[in-house]
Amino acid sequence: MDYRRRRELSFLTIGLLFFLSGVEYAVILPTIWKYLQILDAPAYFLGLGLSAFSFTGLLSGPLFGRWSDKTRTTKTIILFSNVFEIVGNFMYFMGYSKWLLLSSRLVAGIGAGAGSSIFGFLTRTTLPDERAQIFAAVMACRQAGLLIGPAFNIFLRLCDFSLGPFIVNKYTSPGLFMCGMWLLLQCVVVLLYHDIPPLDTLPEHMALQQVRDQEEDPLIDPEDGGADTRNLVHSEQIETRLSGDTETTRPPSPEPDDPFENFSASREFLREEVVVLLTAQFITLFNQTALETMVTPLTQRYFGFGELGNSVMYSLCGVEVIVGFFLVRWLSRVLEDRAVLAVGLLICCGACVWCIIFLASPQGGFAVELTEFIIGVFLQLLGLPFVAVSQVSLFSKVTAEKTQGFSQGVRRSVGGLATILGPLWAGGLTGNLYVMLGMMLLLLILIMIMMVLSYEKLVEPPVVQHADSSDSGG
């Protein structure tokens, strides 16, 4: 199987993995509160259950990332992490007690840490100017899972039978269903996923450039005139490599055994541009999860939305976010990542101002208030894909490629901390939206100021692609 085919199948498998992560969130979230009530759990267990998944993912992300950086492989890591998803969801299905349910989310969350290894893999196997497009597609897969996931609850809620000593009902069936889905994914990973060679193991990046030239518009090609000249010189060699087995492209041992030999966390993560991007990651997810916490009580209080109304609203939101990711995928062809990030932050700021003016203390009739609410939610969701994709893409370019898995793990851990703190902040302030939204706006203004001051540094360093030799020298 040639390089191009292996790459396509691996990316397809990654998309399926992110899709299932979205489905899992969508099928478990609607029923977990009722499930906990049946198990006589106090109200605070809902927050613990939702935060548990993020907490263990926060801890496991850097560990899985470091593992992938050392081995330069991800297939084994994905298979290993999926075991935690399988076991965790089966524990969720078993039920028995509120503590077992809480433990199930802790175990499943460990499996989510493999995302850092996957983003590291995508960084090492894509060119910088196509990376935002790939990241946008992967993130859109998760949103598609969030959108389609509630449809599975239509038949899961009809389950009412016994499976040996276990009871299968509308509360336990999501765990059994996701356990089966992750088992199926294990088979897909074994059959379709390939640890294709990193970009820096291919001579002058030409094999991957050839793959991209066959897949994308030729309008991007003139940006690298030197690469075009080398394409002509090495065309026969590239063709041989692309048609041959992938293993022939991997040199015996071009890199030091330990990519962390000269690694310094302070030197890597305390640089100005990295701090800006990590802050953007935290603020974006903090605001997003705070809004998710606020929306349901708000729609119930002002519009009387029940389960059906909220389900329709979340479905429409999912459609908008997916369209937004593909819009960013297209814009990334013509705009720099930092420009996309600036657009996204401006939209988020505008949305927050709108919500403070019109939603914190709604005035007018039902139709006016509903229109104001729809506009506010639309603007909030519109900015998310711009910020999410651009900051991930930029982060992969301003951090070292050979320790990319660990760096992505740190980035995802920062995001995990935000997803824990966001609901805690918003949960106690649903009755005082001026304070809640005001803090969110202040955070957005802060990251805007930081970005303006650091705008010149938010670009890929010109030596990144050829920095291996200098990096290894200290």
Side-chain angles (χ1 to χ4, degrees):
M1 190 182 298
D2 63 20
Y3 185 95
R4 178 184 180 185
R5 185 63 174 165
R6 287 172 183 256
R7 184 174 184 258
E8 290 175 347
L9 291 176
S10 298
F11 286 3
L12 177 64
T13 305
I14 289 172
L16 181 59
L17 186 150
F18 275 82
F19 173 80
L20 287 184
S21 70
V23 171
E24 179 178 355
Y25 186 86
V27 298
I28 286 180
L29 184 64
T31 58
I32 188 172
W33 173 228
K34 292 286 187 181
Y35 197 179
L36 286 168
Q37 287 180 314
I38 292 174
L39 298 173
D40 297 322
Y44 65 83
F45 255 74
L46 176 61
L48 290 177
L50 296 177
S51 299
F53 187 89
S54 298
F55 176 72
T56 49
L58 178 155
L59 298 177
S60 64
L63 298 178
F64 283 132
R66 186 180 179 92
W67 181 4
S68 66
D69 289 334
K70 282 180 171 290
T71 61
R72 305 284 275 184
T73 61
T74 50
K75 185 172 184 176
T76 303
I77 296 172
I78 293 175
L79 292 172
F80 178 71
S81 66
N82 283 351
V83 171
F84 290 96
E85 289 279 11
I86 293 167
V87 173
N89 279 284
F90 190 78
M91 291 169 62
Y92 186 90
F93 160 65
M94 291 170 61
Y96 288 132
S97 74
K98 58 182 180 290
W99 295 107
L100 182 61
L101 196 67
L102 178 61
S103 299
S104 74
R105 300 313 294 157
L106 287 169
V107 173
I110 296 175
S116 59
S117 300
I118 292 172
F119 277 109
F121 168 82
L122 292 174
T123 298
R124 288 190 289 265
T125 56
T126 55
L127 293 168
D129 55 3
E130 69 173 347
R131 200 166 294 155
Q133 302 165 39
I134 300 296
F135 287 167
V138 168
M139 293 177 179
C141 288
R142 186 176 189 277
Q143 291 298 323
L146 289 170
L147 178 62
I148 297 173
F152 291 110
N153 279 328
I154 295 175
F155 70 84
L156 291 177
R157 65 192 298 272
L158 301 177
C159 294
D160 188 15
F161 59 92
S162 296
L163 190 64
F166 306 111
I167 298 175
V168 183
N169 55 34
K170 62 182 179 180
Y171 304 118
T172 62
S173 58
L176 182 62
F177 173 74
M178 289 311 307
C179 181
M181 290 295 98
W182 289 112
L183 276 170
L184 181 62
L185 182 68
Q186 289 287 75
C187 300
V188 174
V189 173
V190 170
L191 296 175
L192 301 183
Y193 189 88
H194 301 277
D195 278 318
I196 57 176
L199 186 61
D200 57 10
T201 66
L202 304 178
E204 304 205 23
H205 302 180
M206 294 312 301
L208 189 56
Q209 179 71 47
Q210 181 77 357
V211 172
R212 192 189 64 171
D213 290 346
Q214 296 173 2
E215 294 174 345
E216 299 186 354
D217 294 335
L219 295 177
I220 303 177
D221 293 344
E223 294 182 3
D224 191 359
D228 292 337
T229 304
R230 293 193 296 272
N231 275 338
L232 297 176
V233 175
H234 297 291
S235 59
E236 292 185 6
Q237 179 184 7
I238 295 164
E239 199 62 41
T240 301
R241 288 184 176 275
L242 287 174
S243 60
D245 189 82
T246 306
E247 296 301 322
T248 61
T249 66
R250 190 187 299 275
S253 181
E255 293 288 337
D257 291 336
D258 185 3
F260 293 90
E261 182 179 350
N262 299 297
F263 178 79
S264 170
S266 59
R267 186 173 65 238
E268 183 73 0
F269 300 122
L270 295 184
R271 289 180 289 123
E272 181 180 334
E273 60 272 26
V274 176
V275 171
V276 170
L277 294 175
L278 289 177
T279 304
Q281 165 85 350
F282 178 87
I283 291 175
T284 303
L285 288 178
F286 180 90
N287 286 2
Q288 178 186 347
T289 52
L291 286 169
E292 288 175 354
T293 305
M294 173 199 75
V295 163
T296 303
L298 195 67
T299 56
Q300 182 180 14
R301 183 190 311 164
Y302 293 114
F303 311 119
F305 283 8
E307 291 183 3
L308 178 61
N310 284 325
S311 296
V312 172
M313 177 186 67
Y314 281 122
S315 296
L316 293 175
C317 290
V319 171
E320 181 191 350
V321 172
I322 291 173
V323 172
F325 275 117
F326 283 102
L327 174 61
V328 172
R329 177 181 169 87
W330 175 76
L331 285 176
S332 65
R333 297 171 181 262
V334 294
L335 293 178
E336 291 182 326
D337 289 333
R338 58 181 179 175
V340 176
L341 178 60
V343 171
L345 290 175
L346 284 172
I347 295 174
C348 289
C349 283
C352 206
V353 171
W354 177 278
C355 291
I356 290 175
I357 295 174
F358 295 105
L359 299 186
S361 181
Q363 302 292 329
F366 179 86
V368 174
E369 292 177 3
L370 182 60
T371 301
E372 293 170 348
F373 174 78
I374 291 173
I375 294 173
V377 172
F378 175 83
L379 291 175
Q380 289 284 358
L381 295 176
L382 181 62
L384 287 177
F386 286 80
V387 179
V389 174
S390 57
Q391 59 93 3
V392 177
S393 179
L394 263 175
F395 187 82
S396 72
K397 296 172 183 177
V398 300
T399 51
E401 184 175 302
K402 60 184 179 180
T403 55
Q404 191 64 208
F406 179 75
S407 297
Q408 291 291 342
V410 171
R411 182 190 64 80
R412 287 170 64 87
S413 292
V414 170
L417 181 62
T419 61
I420 294 172
L421 296 179
L424 294 177
W425 167 257
L429 292 171
T430 53
N432 194 342
L433 295 184
Y434 280 114
V435 175
M436 191 191 83
L437 293 170
M439 174 60 72
M440 292 167 56
L441 181 59
L442 286 175
L443 290 174
L444 286 169
I445 294 174
L446 171 64
I447 188 58
M448 285 289 293
I449 294 173
M450 293 175 66
M451 184 182 175
V452 169
L453 295 176
S454 306
Y455 192 79
E456 295 300 322
K457 294 187 176 182
L458 294 176
V459 292
E460 179 192 8
V463 296
V464 166
Q465 294 183 359
H466 305 286
D468 294 338
S469 59
S470 60
D471 285 349
S472 62

